[in-house]
Amino acid sequence: MLNFDELRSRLPIANAGFGFLRERGLRYVDKTGFVYKLALDNQPRILTRPRRFGKSTLLSTVEELFLHSLEPYDGHDSYFKGLSIEKTWQDHGNYPVLHLDFYGLNLQCPDFETFERKVNAALDEFAEAQGLKISTSFQDFSAHFGALLKQLPDYSLVLLVDEFDSPLVHRLRETEELQKASAFMQGLFGMVKQYAGKFRCVFFTGITRFQDLGLGTAGNGFTDISMAPSFAACCGYTREELKHCFADHLRYAAAVRLGIRDEEVTEENVESLLDEMSSWYDGYSFDGRQKVRVFSTWSVLRFFADEEAVLQPYWSSEEGLGLPQLLKLSLDRINAGELLKEVSSGELEVSARQFIQSSLINPRANPYSLMFQTGYLTLKTPFTLSGTLHLDCPNKEISMAFANLVGLSLFRKEEDRFTENYSEKTVAVLKSLDPEKLRSYFNDLFAAIPYEHYPVTDEATVGALIDFNLRGAGLKPRPQQLSSTGRADTVLDLPQDNLTLVFEYKYEESADDRRLDARLEEAITQVRERKYGLNDGSRARVVRFAMVFCAAKDRRCLERMALVDVQQRQLT
């Protein structure tokens, strides 16, 4: 019988270092095939991924390879024993590794000068470990770094920089400090280019694409592998990796969720659990071709660490939402009304040219690019330079986080935003099938939105706001699609309850009761005649509602709502 405490103790949650994981026998998904590709030559490379996707672990794996190669040391076997790189790696040299964590160095820095001094101190410490010394007269980082590089043999230094974008991103709203950070970064990239022959390997990781940082041509010598198909799965977990490396954790979670012994869990049970996990944590695409999708590393590990095996969001707090500075900047550039309409339509669209030309420094840049970098959006169609990119939230967890994000700029008060129990409350109200409960529930939403910020002006706006509300509860209304029976305003599936809800909205500017009643009858007739929700071949119950939004100044709420009918779908 599986023991939860033992299973939990094997999860790599507390420390991301490769050596730490291997020394203590924690679960490690073998990414050394990607490390091999990174370490083959001295071509500088940049990789960007959202936070908590395993970038630091990947970086520390590269560090371990160059420090100790595949040889045993300190009384233990090589940490690469049994991993795929054992069969391919031919370079058995040991190299000096300069590993700079810009995120950590940037913490508690009241100004940029403090950060630069801390980086210089890290260079001094590295030089001392190599038996070298940098003149204290070099206060400028570029001069300091150049003095170090001149003393190193050719093709010797391994330079690893974690969160390379952190000094810039944390100073986006401070013009003078941002200029200093930009000059620093240009100096860093320039030194890598100028002293290219000194490096054995150069690898930078971060959240923000280089072109987003507005650094001009400074990084032209680097290869951005963030959307390279050959590195699509270098961070995050694929479904097959989960099955291979976390088989016991999957079996335990399936047993708990089904209320059976783990010995009784079948392969079908595990696949069913993986399907559920996929809807919550999978769906990220980084290959530009839509051939590889990965799960969020952090979310999967947190799920396995839950003894009750409850699928829930782990991106609900700021801790898991990527860099807050990027998110706040995205919010500043978002027209909430237009955003909600686009989300309601099923996908967000942006031209590929706008997407690749975005910049944190450019206030007119498309915010969706920044939201892609932080993990809120992912590609839904293959990337083409001349086409239109289709983006959407990758999974249920992020749909909820996305709604929370938009809510920051939408709700009147913080307490009106989506709370921890919001999903349960929403599902309970929907399952009640009570028109008055539903009307009251949706009207609470309209009351929480400042009308001057988000005026409800037509049926599409009503639907977009309600769809947004459902996303905040972790639900995902179907994209609005025309069919042989027309197009309902909102269709929501509740598969666990074998239920489909269909909503048809009408918009009325007058508060006159006769006009409101007439609009409701119009909505009811439309729902019945067009048989919304009855043409997709499912056996689920279909429950259809008609409602009327009154836009009169003293109302601005759903004034009428009726349950049209409840039907069992007929198989086609």
Side-chain angles (χ1 to χ4, degrees), residues 283-299:
Y284 297 92
S285 175
F286 300 110
D287 64 350
R289 299 180 182 178
Q290 301 300 293
K291 291 185 177 180
V292 178
R293 292 190 177 277
V294 292
F295 288 75
S296 163
T297 305
W298 172 249
S299 301

Side-chain angles (χ1 to χ4, degrees), residues 526-571:
Q526 184 171 328
V527 167
R528 284 177 173 162
E529 288 182 351
R530 298 186 182 178
K531 300 181 180 179
Y532 289 145
L534 296 177
N535 64 331
D536 68 356
S538 169
R539 290 184 180 275
R541 284 188 305 157
V542 181
V543 183
R544 301 184 291 185
F545 294 91
M547 57 183 74
V548 181
F549 181 87
C550 177
K553 188 174 182 180
D554 59 340
R555 304 288 181 88
R556 292 174 179 166
C557 65
L558 291 171
E559 277 288 334
R560 300 286 189 275
M561 186 165 184
L563 190 156
V564 179
D565 56 28
V566 181
Q567 296 188 26
Q568 181 76 22
R569 286 199 186 105
Q570 300 299 316
L571 285 176

Side-chain angles (χ1 to χ4, degrees), residues 21-72:
L21 304 185
R22 300 293 285 171
E23 180 184 1
R24 288 161 176 75
L26 303 183
R27 286 287 187 266
Y28 173 69
V29 174
D30 189 354
K31 302 290 186 179
T32 59
F34 301 106
V35 171
Y36 173 75
K37 295 177 185 177
L38 287 168
L40 272 177
D41 54 48
N42 69 338
Q43 172 62 47
R45 293 178 174 87
I46 290 179
L47 174 75
T48 58
R49 288 289 187 272
R51 284 192 72 205
R52 300 192 180 280
F53 254 79
K55 300 187 299 295
S56 295
T57 301
L58 185 69
L59 204 74
S60 71
T61 310
V62 177
E63 179 177 20
E64 175 68 22
L65 181 66
F66 281 113
L67 281 176
H68 303 292
S69 190
L70 305 181
E71 308 305 322

Side-chain angles (χ1 to χ4, degrees), residues 202-242:
V202 179
F203 183 40
F204 287 14
T205 68
I207 292 177
T208 317
R209 298 176 308 166
F210 177 81
Q211 59 264 41
D212 289 336
L213 298 174
L215 296 177
T217 61
N220 283 354
F222 279 69
T223 298
D224 188 343
I225 60 172
S226 304
M227 295 296 289
S230 57
F231 286 94
C234 67
C235 293
Y237 297 146
T238 66
R239 186 174 179 125
E240 289 305 311
E241 286 172 338
L242 286 178

Side-chain angles (χ1 to χ4, degrees), residues 48 83 113 150 171 250 355 365 377-378 422 452 488 510 514:
T48 58
L83 300 179
E113 283 79 3
K150 289 175 183 177
R171 293 171 176 82
L250 287 167
F355 189 79
L377 298 173
T378 194
Y422 189 78
E452 62 279 5
S510 170
R514 288 174 298 178

